[in-house]
Amino acid sequence: DAMVIQNPRYQVTQFGKPVTLSCSQTLNHNVMYWYQQKSSQAPKLLFHYYDKDFNNEADTPDNFQSRRPNTSFCFLDIRSPGLGDAAMYLCATSRDLGQGAITQHFGDGTRLSIL
Amino acid sequence: QKEVEQDPGPLSVPEGAIVSLNCTYSNSAFQYFMWYRQYSRKGPELLMYTYSSGNKEDGRFTAQVDKSSKYISLFIRDSQPSDSATYLCAMSEYGNKLVFGAGTILRVKS
């Protein structure tokens, strides 16, 4: 089945220690998104890639960066995680932007804990 | 004020009940309205979406949008224990960015 896979499912890191979360997709979709979802809160869009074009949300902290080396993979890098960065990180894909972005396919997330 | 407001619940109902889930919003430019379902420890999955105002039905699920009141609803008929999940509404102006509600936890008891 075509899908969005996130690894690892659970990640524990130390305060200030860089961490990378990964996402892969077999849907061959053009757009990949990263969302942050804190407990009992709405998923919050951090950034997205349309093909190789990177689009950062205005309120995404500089601490968060992303890479998309090819169509299938996208990475979320947190350079110096703080306690406030503990959250579920969701990767999603869509075939296109505009109306094509309505149907987003989500992975099962990576739950990040900061010690 | 949040752009999208959603009662967190939990909403607990007996099996077979009709469930009503709701969201209000403040941005009158929203045109696309979506409902996502999120099971525990899983990512959200799209249930259905509506463009502009009106109703849309899909099996046991009916989505309603009232743009004049900035209010959307999802109705679930004949609710089942397998419907127990968090239901997230989401909205978009022209499709590029989805703005989510925080979700309503639904528990259907058998």
Side-chain angles (χ1 to χ4, degrees):
Chain A
D1 284 342
M3 52 178 52
V4 180
I5 302 292
Q6 290 188 244
N7 284 305
R9 292 294 312 277
Y10 301 92
Q11 175 74 56
V12 181
T13 192
Q14 292 179 336
F15 182 93
K17 185 174 181 180
V19 64
T20 295
L21 310 182
S22 81
C23 178
S24 65
Q25 56 131 340
T26 60
L27 297 159
N28 204 32
H29 281 173
N30 290 316
V31 192
M32 295 187 78
Y33 308 81
W34 281 103
Y35 289 86
Q36 180 191 63
Q37 186 179 25
K38 294 186 176 179
S39 181
S40 302
Q41 295 186 22
K44 179 177 177 296
L45 181 63
L46 296 174
F47 26 59
H48 75 269
Y49 272 95
Y50 178 75
D51 196 12
K52 293 183 179 179
D53 292 334
F54 178 71
N55 295 271
N56 199 29
E57 292 298 303
D59 56 354
T60 298
D62 293 339
N63 201 25
F64 290 84
Q65 297 181 338
S66 186
R67 296 169 283 135
R68 188 179 185 186
N70 54 53
T71 300
S72 301
F73 285 87
C74 196
F75 299 97
L76 170 62
D77 300 309
I78 309 177
R79 288 192 298 186
S80 183
L83 296 178
D85 297 328
M88 173 78 83
Y89 290 88
L90 294 165
C91 173
T93 73
S94 68
R95 186 178 304 280
D96 210 336
L97 293 175
Q99 193 170 354
I102 297 305
T103 304
Q104 294 191 13
H105 299 260
F106 283 82
D108 288 335
T110 295
R111 184 168 295 284
L112 178 66
S113 299
I114 314 294
L115 298 180
Chain B
Q1 182 189 8
K2 295 179 184 174
E3 265 192 298
V4 179
E5 299 273 6
Q6 190 172 6
D7 187 329
L11 178 63
S12 190
V13 301
E15 183 176 355
I18 296 174
V19 174
S20 173
L21 303 166
N22 311 293
C23 287
T24 58
Y25 63 95
S26 57
N27 185 353
S28 58
F30 286 143
Q31 298 188 79
Y32 295 93
F33 303 91
M34 291 136 279
W35 286 97
Y36 279 81
R37 178 175 61 195
Q38 186 173 23
Y39 289 114
S40 180
R41 290 184 287 277
K42 293 286 190 179
E45 58 176 330
L46 180 67
L47 275 176
M48 53 199 308
Y49 79 89
T50 309
Y51 174 73
S52 194
S53 282
N55 296 358
K56 187 172 184 179
E57 189 172 319
D58 184 1
R60 296 185 295 112
F61 298 89
T62 300
Q64 284 186 354
V65 174
D66 182 349
K67 291 188 73 178
S68 62
S69 302
K70 297 190 181 70
Y71 188 88
I72 72 169
S73 300
L74 177 71
F75 297 95
I76 307 174
R77 289 183 299 281
D78 187 26
S79 56
Q80 302 295 310
S82 58
D83 295 327
S84 298
T86 298
Y87 289 79
L88 300 155
C89 62
M91 307 178 189
S92 178
E93 291 185 16
Y94 52 91
N96 280 16
K97 179 178 177 179
L98 304 188
V99 180
F100 283 86
T104 298
I105 298 170
L106 173 65
R107 296 177 183 150
V108 181
K109 299 173 293 185
S110 58

